[in-house]
Amino acid sequence: MRNVLLVKYGELAIRGKNRYLVENRLIKTIIKRLNNYPGYRVYKEQGRILVVNEEGEFDYDTVIPIVSNILGIVGLCPGTEFEDRSIESLRKHALMHFKEHFPNGGVTFKVITRRSDKKYPMTGNEISADVGGYILHNIDDLKVDVHDPEIKLMIELRNNVYVYSKVIKGPGGLPYGSGGKATVLLSGGIDSPVSAFLVAKRGVEIEAVYFDSPPYTSERAKQKVMDLAERISAFTGSIKLHIVPFTQTQLCIYEHTPPEKMTVFLKRAMLKAAEKIAVKNKSYALVTGDSIGQVASQTMEAIYAIDSAVAMPVLRPLCAMDKQDIVDIATDIGTFDISVRPYEDCCTVFVAKHPETKPKKSIIESMESKIEELDRLIEEAVENSEIIEF
Ligand code: ATP
Ligand code: MG
């Protein structure tokens, strides 16, 4: 008998042949995270991933926080593994598990048995009833509740037998890197880090781009973005952040465009620069933190006028979300506190009091084509960008 950690990763089941690649990616990530902890091994076992310690006691308090934020993991279950599948052994191990985790009773429970071993002489329900009765006999102050129990004691008969009762929730989604690549426009605000997280959670590998306009934007604003990137890397393992010096481009737009149209020109320039980086790093899409209607540049008309700047698809995972829902996710993933630090990312010099909410694409495109040095400045900004890896 030994202590193990069962890793649940439900959604992969629907991905057919891809499943093995995706499972292997998840296993690789777990192995990488546990690299510095001797003795830990990771196995695949019939629709589960299993973490064991082959050299000593399983230290759940250390291991669970390290793997619990890995994208693709639905739940983590600390449990025991043993070989003897006789009903006496199931009773004994289930009771031991129960006593270890709920020594004082005082709970309602139910036993649930999963049996991939169809030759077993008892059905799953029979096993559950037998083991449930045995536990009830041996621990005081317990009640069975089959409808809404506080504790679900799980018995799984696979190649070995597993008993567990706790499920620690993981972030879910798909394993990072199993679904192509995208480049995220990461500002210091609340929204874009959430966008980055949501796309990464669908298995997409991400690189981030930040447009820095010193001295109009401060060193501290840049630090904020770096801290956000580092926070996101807790989920993705690592992340590259491209810092693009955008002052010259921004000044050029400032000189050549009426204030109410500036935001649209600026966003187009950002997308163009990001697309150049995205092509180089083999991304298939750009990602922003836009949410429909939140600000002037996020109306349908503005999105239409902005997106024609690039050929690459621009994903907006937050487009239909309310601010509070975005804030809730930001709080959950630990980016909110960083995002709300003061030192805004955009200098007031560049923000019009009344930006146009219904820009016309044809007018914008025609005006833009007359700014001769714009393309060159964007090209130079990309060439001069700095790359930091977290
Ligand atoms: P956020 O909270 O993400 O900053 P926002 O609500 O402030 O978004 P905008 O400032 O209009 O909205 O930015 C919309 C999107 O454009 C951002 O979510 C981000 O993807 C991108 N963006 C804006 N400014 C920058 C910047 N300086 N660097 C990189 N991306 C940016
Ligand atoms: Mg912003």
Side-chain angles (χ1 to χ4, degrees), residues 42-54:
V42 185
Y43 297 103
K44 211 190 298 190
E45 139 107 32
Q46 295 183 335
R48 290 267 185 272
I49 290 170
L50 216 58
V51 186
V52 300
N53 186 344
E54 291 187 335

Side-chain angles (χ1 to χ4, degrees), residues 94-113:
L95 181 64
M96 255 163 46
H97 179 92
F98 215 101
K99 279 191 170 158
E100 189 185 324
H101 290 270
F102 313 100
N104 304 321
V107 289
T108 60
F109 82 107
K110 153 186 192 180
V111 179
I112 299 171
T113 306

Side-chain angles (χ1 to χ4, degrees), residues 51-216:
V51 186
V52 300
N53 186 344
E54 291 187 335
E55 288 169 18
E57 261 308 294
F58 200 112
D59 181 359
Y60 290 114
D61 293 341
T62 304
V63 171
I64 288 174
I66 293 172
V67 296
S68 65
N69 59 8
I70 294 178
L71 301 176
I73 293 181
V74 172
L76 296 170
C77 316
T80 42
E81 178 193 60
F82 50 95
E83 279 176 27
D84 181 357
R85 57 186 58 220
S86 67
I87 188 69
E88 293 78 19
S89 162
L90 301 186
R91 286 180 195 147
K92 182 183 91 183
H93 286 101
L95 181 64
M96 255 163 46
H97 179 92
F98 215 101
K99 279 191 170 158
E100 189 185 324
H101 290 270
F102 313 100
N104 304 321
V107 289
T108 60
F109 82 107
K110 153 186 192 180
V111 179
I112 299 171
T113 306
R114 290 223 183 93
R115 205 180 50 132
S116 60
D117 169 10
K118 297 298 172 207
K119 281 188 247 127
Y120 200 82
M122 296 166 79
T123 66
N125 282 343
E126 284 166 356
I127 297 172
S128 299
D130 182 301
V131 173
Y134 186 76
I135 292 173
L136 208 55
H137 255 276
N138 284 281
I139 299 179
D140 292 337
D141 195 18
L142 276 189
K143 251 194 219 133
V144 171
D145 179 347
V146 289
H147 299 297
D148 188 23
E150 288 162 297
I151 311 298
K152 287 182 188 156
L153 184 75
M154 307 295 300
I155 302 176
E156 294 191 6
L157 293 160
R158 298 169 181 270
N159 290 332
N160 285 318
V161 188
Y162 300 91
V163 172
Y164 61 92
S165 56
K166 281 187 185 145
V167 184
I168 297 134
K169 218 170 156 257
L174 294 167
Y176 184 65
S178 61
K181 191 165 181 180
T183 295
V184 182
L185 285 81
L186 187 68
S187 66
I190 295 168
D191 302 328
S192 46
V194 173
S195 257
F197 170 77
L198 290 177
V199 170
K201 196 179 150 190
R202 295 309 300 167
V204 179
E205 184 184 347
I206 51 172
E207 285 194 19
V209 180
Y210 169 62
F211 297 96
D212 190 25
S213 300
Y216 304 102

Side-chain angles (χ1 to χ4, degrees), residues 187 189 344-345:
S187 66
E344 248 318 306
D345 56 338

Side-chain angles (χ1 to χ4, degrees), residues 15-29:
R15 303 236 314 177
K17 279 184 197 155
N18 242 347
R19 177 173 176 139
Y20 294 98
L21 294 174
V22 172
E23 278 173 342
N24 289 344
R25 173 145 323 240
L26 187 52
I27 289 174
K28 253 196 200 153
T29 309

